[in-house]
Amino acid sequence: AQSVAQPEDQVNVAEGNPLTVKCTYSVSGNPYLFWYVQYPNRGLQFLLKYITGDNLVKGSYGFEAEFNKSQTSFHLKKPSALVSDSALYFCAVRDGSNAGKSTFGDGTTLTVKP
Amino acid sequence: NAGVMQNPRHLVRRRGQEARLRCSPMKGHSHVYWYRQLPEEGLKFMVYLQKENIIDESGMPKERFSAEFPKEGPSILRIQQVVRGDSAAYFCASSHPTGELFFGEGSRLTVL
């Protein structure tokens, strides 16, 4: 079984401040980890992924995420938030041992205020 | 390259009718996934298909729901005898075997 927890329903930050959106996961095999963003009435867009290699991965729009195996976490970060980053963010995990389904967290709504 | 194409974008059905949702994956992708998103909720996995095969249908309701991905043509998610609780956004995604998912814009089903 695999699962994802996003402990915060909502994250509010001021424009220009750093942001963090938290994610922890559980998977029996090798974790493949993903972040996606969803704007209103749209599909999800891929931001970044961790498969193997460096624990710090960089993705689209200046986002990055750090894989921490001991804490089973994959928090999304950005050094300086923009108002246009306001959206719904989903963390997802897949068992890398097989080409199976991705399991998503419940999502975190990020609001960046001017 | 065209992305994942879903149609219809919006579908309205009365209780008891059938809903048929279509998904064409990205070119070169042979893996298709269907997810359901209820208002104010996350994505719930429904089914994972490859051409002509259902690989994992552990998220599909046991009754009224079916999915296929034929050798030719799009993947189809079919909901028979719809009820109000079926109202949701249904998202299709495609991928290479171990890669990230590419999502369509979704089909929003409203059951009256």
Side-chain angles (χ1 to χ4, degrees):
Chain A
Q2 57 195 42
S3 64
V4 173
Q6 293 182 240
E8 302 154 316
D9 290 338
Q10 192 122 15
V11 170
N12 298 312
V13 298
E15 188 174 31
N17 283 1
L19 70 86
T20 299
V21 183
K22 295 179 180 176
C23 170
T24 58
Y25 66 90
S26 173
V27 66
S28 56
N30 294 327
Y32 283 15
L33 295 156
F34 306 86
W35 276 101
Y36 295 86
V37 60
Q38 185 181 32
Y39 297 98
N41 299 313
R42 302 295 301 277
L44 278 71
Q45 299 175 30
F46 168 73
L47 277 180
L48 50 78
K49 65 182 176 184
Y50 171 82
I51 302 296
T52 188
D54 288 343
N55 290 343
L56 184 65
V57 294
K58 296 185 182 295
S60 308
Y61 313 118
F63 284 94
E64 58 189 29
E66 186 164 14
F67 170 63
N68 187 316
K69 187 175 182 178
S70 62
Q71 296 185 4
T72 61
S73 67
F74 190 56
H75 302 328
L76 181 70
K77 300 183 180 184
K78 187 173 182 181
S80 178
L82 300 173
V83 173
S84 57
D85 292 331
S86 298
L88 182 57
Y89 290 81
F90 289 99
C91 181
V93 68
R94 170 188 284 183
D95 186 340
S97 305
N98 61 74
K101 66 185 180 187
S102 292
T103 297
F104 286 78
D106 288 339
T108 298
T109 299
L110 172 66
T111 302
V112 181
K113 297 189 176 179
Chain B
N1 280 339
V4 177
M5 304 300 292
Q6 287 190 250
N7 68 83
R9 291 291 308 276
H10 300 275
L11 183 63
V12 178
R13 286 288 179 267
R14 297 191 180 278
R15 282 178 294 171
Q17 292 184 320
E18 178 180 290
R20 194 170 291 217
L21 311 177
R22 297 173 194 78
C23 170
S24 296
M26 282 187 70
K27 187 176 181 180
H29 286 184
S30 58
H31 298 245
V32 167
Y33 307 80
W34 285 93
Y35 286 83
R36 177 163 62 178
Q37 185 177 34
L38 294 167
E40 309 302 324
E41 293 189 15
L43 268 72
K44 302 304 180 187
F45 168 78
M46 298 183 75
V47 62
Y48 161 37
L49 310 105
Q50 295 179 25
K51 283 286 187 183
E52 300 184 277
N53 287 307
I54 297 174
I55 307 302
D56 180 352
E57 57 182 347
S58 58
M60 288 279 272
K62 292 289 185 275
E63 297 177 349
R64 301 188 298 108
F65 285 72
S66 62
E68 62 177 5
F69 189 16
K71 185 177 180 181
E72 301 290 339
S75 175
I76 305 287
L77 179 67
R78 184 181 177 205
I79 311 172
Q80 295 178 290
Q81 299 174 331
V82 296
V83 301
R84 288 214 174 111
D86 297 333
S87 295
Y90 292 84
F91 288 96
C92 172
S94 70
S95 77
H96 290 301
T98 56
E100 63 271 23
L101 298 176
F102 292 83
F103 282 85
E105 294 292 347
S107 292
R108 285 157 181 81
L109 172 65
T110 301
V111 179
L112 301 177

